[in-house]
Amino acid sequence: MAYWAPKPDSQLVCESEFIVYGSYDARSKPTEVTPPGIHLAYIDVQAILAAPAEHMNINKLALKVPSPGAPVSSDMLFFQQGQQGLWFLSRTQDSAVYFTVRHPAQFKEMAIDGAELNDWKQRLSSFSCKKS
């Protein structure tokens, strides 16, 4: 059984390249050829809260996920088809086009029209992130 230390919101925001509201889609087929051993799901983006300027119109992000049938380890995270919420995504270490969720706090299940999402939208500008 894994235990996860809490992650402060400021760290969550500052470590994320993309902060988007969207739904998990494990059924889409990759549009590009994926290398052997790489398994992808997608985040169907409905709202972008933070992203590099050149990616503010993106509608789908590739999420690297555990291989189906692989042994399960305590650091793996799993999501359900259609699960909706706020995603805090960073690029994987081995690719510039795939993203990852390494901590449970990087996904917050919520409704798109709920108060929690509006609160996050308002709070994002208050975080001061120093990039090195």
Side-chain angles (χ1 to χ4, degrees):
M1 177 183 265
Y3 290 95
W4 297 88
K7 189 173 266 208
D9 290 346
S10 59
Q11 183 181 1
L12 189 62
V13 169
C14 292
E15 290 177 352
S16 300
E17 185 173 351
F18 284 82
I19 302 172
V20 300
Y21 183 89
S23 60
Y24 183 79
D25 180 6
R27 295 183 186 151
S28 287
K29 299 295 180 210
T31 55
E32 71 284 341
V33 176
T34 55
I38 301 287
H39 295 277
L40 301 176
Y42 294 89
I43 304 302
D44 289 326
V45 177
Q46 296 167 348
I48 298 173
L49 281 70
E54 66 271 16
H55 297 292
M56 290 303 287
N57 294 321
I58 202 156
N59 60 8
K60 196 174 280 252
L61 292 167
L63 186 66
K64 192 172 175 185
V65 295
S67 302
V72 175
S73 68
S74 61
D75 63 344
M76 292 178 171
L77 298 172
F78 297 93
F79 302 97
Q80 299 294 318
Q81 177 68 24
Q83 205 167 2
Q84 292 186 330
L86 195 58
W87 300 84
F88 296 82
L89 304 172
S90 55
R91 294 185 194 274
T92 62
Q93 295 174 350
D94 57 352
S95 171
V97 295
Y98 305 140
F99 294 85
T100 187
V101 173
R102 291 187 190 100
H103 190 280
Q106 288 179 270
F107 172 71
K108 299 186 179 297
E109 194 162 17
M110 63 183 71
I112 195 164
D113 56 357
E116 191 174 8
L117 182 59
N118 286 331
D119 179 55
W120 270 103
K121 287 177 182 178
Q122 292 174 1
R123 291 179 50 218
L124 277 177
S125 62
S126 68
F127 293 101
S128 176
C129 300
K130 295 182 175 132
K131 303 287 182 182
S132 53

